[in-house]
mmCIF file of all heavy atoms in Angstrom:
data_model
loop_
_atom_site.group_PDB
_atom_site.id
_atom_site.type_symbol
_atom_site.label_atom_id
_atom_site.label_comp_id
_atom_site.label_asym_id
_atom_site.label_seq_id
_atom_site.Cartn_x
_atom_site.Cartn_y
_atom_site.Cartn_z
ATOM 1 N N GLY N 6 73.208 175.173 64.819
ATOM 2 C CA GLY N 6 73.073 175.292 63.369
ATOM 3 C C GLY N 6 74.403 175.401 62.663
ATOM 4 O O GLY N 6 74.569 174.903 61.537
ATOM 5 N N GLY N 7 75.383 176.053 63.308
ATOM 6 C CA GLY N 7 76.684 176.231 62.684
ATOM 7 C C GLY N 7 77.382 174.917 62.400
ATOM 8 O O GLY N 7 78.026 174.748 61.357
ATOM 9 N N VAL N 8 77.242 173.955 63.334
ATOM 10 C CA VAL N 8 77.868 172.648 63.154
ATOM 11 C C VAL N 8 77.231 171.916 61.971
ATOM 12 O O VAL N 8 77.934 171.321 61.134
ATOM 13 C CB VAL N 8 77.748 171.804 64.438
ATOM 14 C CG1 VAL N 8 78.240 170.380 64.189
ATOM 15 C CG2 VAL N 8 78.530 172.453 65.572
ATOM 16 N N TYR N 9 75.899 171.962 61.884
ATOM 17 C CA TYR N 9 75.223 171.315 60.766
ATOM 18 C C TYR N 9 75.608 171.972 59.438
ATOM 19 O O TYR N 9 75.752 171.302 58.410
ATOM 20 C CB TYR N 9 73.704 171.371 60.954
ATOM 21 C CG TYR N 9 73.177 170.341 61.922
ATOM 22 C CD1 TYR N 9 72.728 170.710 63.187
ATOM 23 C CD2 TYR N 9 73.136 168.988 61.569
ATOM 24 C CE1 TYR N 9 72.246 169.764 64.081
ATOM 25 C CE2 TYR N 9 72.650 168.032 62.457
ATOM 26 C CZ TYR N 9 72.213 168.426 63.713
ATOM 27 O OH TYR N 9 71.742 167.481 64.597
ATOM 28 N N GLN N 10 75.780 173.292 59.464
ATOM 29 C CA GLN N 10 76.168 173.984 58.242
ATOM 30 C C GLN N 10 77.567 173.554 57.782
ATOM 31 O O GLN N 10 77.797 173.294 56.597
ATOM 32 C CB GLN N 10 76.137 175.505 58.449
ATOM 33 C CG GLN N 10 76.392 176.293 57.173
ATOM 34 C CD GLN N 10 76.246 177.786 57.390
ATOM 35 O OE1 GLN N 10 75.814 178.234 58.445
ATOM 36 N NE2 GLN N 10 76.605 178.567 56.398
ATOM 37 N N GLU N 11 78.495 173.454 58.730
ATOM 38 C CA GLU N 11 79.849 172.996 58.394
ATOM 39 C C GLU N 11 79.816 171.563 57.866
ATOM 40 O O GLU N 11 80.557 171.211 56.933
ATOM 41 C CB GLU N 11 80.749 173.092 59.620
ATOM 42 C CG GLU N 11 81.082 174.522 60.033
ATOM 43 C CD GLU N 11 81.944 174.581 61.280
ATOM 44 O OE1 GLU N 11 82.461 173.510 61.692
ATOM 45 O OE2 GLU N 11 82.090 175.676 61.842
ATOM 46 N N LEU N 12 78.953 170.742 58.463
ATOM 47 C CA LEU N 12 78.821 169.363 58.011
ATOM 48 C C LEU N 12 78.290 169.325 56.575
ATOM 49 O O LEU N 12 78.777 168.552 55.729
ATOM 50 C CB LEU N 12 77.882 168.602 58.939
ATOM 51 C CG LEU N 12 77.722 167.096 58.690
ATOM 52 C CD1 LEU N 12 79.055 166.378 58.855
ATOM 53 C CD2 LEU N 12 76.680 166.523 59.658
ATOM 54 N N GLY N 13 77.311 170.177 56.296
ATOM 55 C CA GLY N 13 76.764 170.247 54.943
ATOM 56 C C GLY N 13 77.819 170.655 53.924
ATOM 57 O O GLY N 13 77.890 170.103 52.821
ATOM 58 N N GLN N 14 78.658 171.620 54.293
ATOM 59 C CA GLN N 14 79.729 172.064 53.395
ATOM 60 C C GLN N 14 80.732 170.943 53.140
ATOM 61 O O GLN N 14 81.233 170.795 52.022
ATOM 62 C CB GLN N 14 80.422 173.283 53.996
ATOM 63 C CG GLN N 14 79.544 174.528 54.022
ATOM 64 C CD GLN N 14 80.110 175.628 54.893
ATOM 65 O OE1 GLN N 14 81.086 175.418 55.622
ATOM 66 N NE2 GLN N 14 79.513 176.803 54.817
ATOM 67 N N LEU N 15 81.009 170.155 54.187
ATOM 68 C CA LEU N 15 81.931 169.025 54.039
ATOM 69 C C LEU N 15 81.370 167.992 53.071
ATOM 70 O O LEU N 15 82.068 167.515 52.158
ATOM 71 C CB LEU N 15 82.181 168.384 55.409
ATOM 72 C CG LEU N 15 83.071 167.124 55.415
ATOM 73 C CD1 LEU N 15 84.471 167.452 54.912
ATOM 74 C CD2 LEU N 15 83.144 166.539 56.833
ATOM 75 N N TYR N 16 80.085 167.643 53.258
ATOM 76 C CA TYR N 16 79.450 166.682 52.348
ATOM 77 C C TYR N 16 79.406 167.240 50.915
ATOM 78 O O TYR N 16 79.565 166.492 49.938
ATOM 79 C CB TYR N 16 78.034 166.357 52.811
ATOM 80 C CG TYR N 16 77.963 165.391 53.976
ATOM 81 C CD1 TYR N 16 77.185 165.675 55.100
ATOM 82 C CD2 TYR N 16 78.655 164.181 53.944
ATOM 83 C CE1 TYR N 16 77.102 164.786 56.165
ATOM 84 C CE2 TYR N 16 78.584 163.283 55.002
ATOM 85 C CZ TYR N 16 77.808 163.589 56.110
ATOM 86 O OH TYR N 16 77.735 162.707 57.158
ATOM 87 N N LEU N 17 79.183 168.548 50.806
ATOM 88 C CA LEU N 17 79.119 169.167 49.483
ATOM 89 C C LEU N 17 80.462 169.044 48.764
ATOM 90 O O LEU N 17 80.512 168.740 47.561
ATOM 91 C CB LEU N 17 78.721 170.638 49.624
ATOM 92 C CG LEU N 17 78.156 171.350 48.384
ATOM 93 C CD1 LEU N 17 76.936 170.615 47.836
ATOM 94 C CD2 LEU N 17 77.789 172.786 48.730
ATOM 95 N N ARG N 18 81.539 169.266 49.501
ATOM 96 C CA ARG N 18 82.874 169.142 48.907
ATOM 97 C C ARG N 18 83.156 167.692 48.488
ATOM 98 O O ARG N 18 83.882 167.451 47.521
ATOM 99 C CB ARG N 18 83.951 169.631 49.885
ATOM 100 C CG ARG N 18 84.003 171.145 50.033
ATOM 101 C CD ARG N 18 85.280 171.589 50.737
ATOM 102 N NE ARG N 18 85.316 171.171 52.127
ATOM 103 C CZ ARG N 18 84.830 171.895 53.141
ATOM 104 N NH1 ARG N 18 84.257 173.066 52.904
ATOM 105 N NH2 ARG N 18 84.917 171.448 54.389
ATOM 106 N N LYS N 19 82.577 166.742 49.234
ATOM 107 C CA LYS N 19 82.770 165.322 48.903
ATOM 108 C C LYS N 19 81.771 164.863 47.841
ATOM 109 O O LYS N 19 81.772 163.697 47.454
ATOM 110 C CB LYS N 19 82.606 164.472 50.161
ATOM 111 C CG LYS N 19 83.686 164.715 51.208
ATOM 112 C CD LYS N 19 83.423 163.944 52.493
ATOM 113 C CE LYS N 19 83.470 162.444 52.260
ATOM 114 N NZ LYS N 19 83.285 161.681 53.531
ATOM 115 N N ASN N 20 80.900 165.792 47.404
ATOM 116 C CA ASN N 20 79.884 165.510 46.382
ATOM 117 C C ASN N 20 78.831 164.512 46.862
ATOM 118 O O ASN N 20 78.183 163.843 46.056
ATOM 119 C CB ASN N 20 80.517 165.007 45.083
ATOM 120 C CG ASN N 20 79.668 165.354 43.868
ATOM 121 O OD1 ASN N 20 79.070 166.427 43.816
ATOM 122 N ND2 ASN N 20 79.592 164.460 42.908
#
Side-chain angles (χ1 to χ4, degrees):
V8 173
Y9 281 107
Q10 186 176 352
E11 290 178 11
L12 185 61
Q14 291 167 351
L15 177 62
Y16 282 130
L17 199 56
R18 286 194 293 271
K19 294 175 64 177
N20 208 37

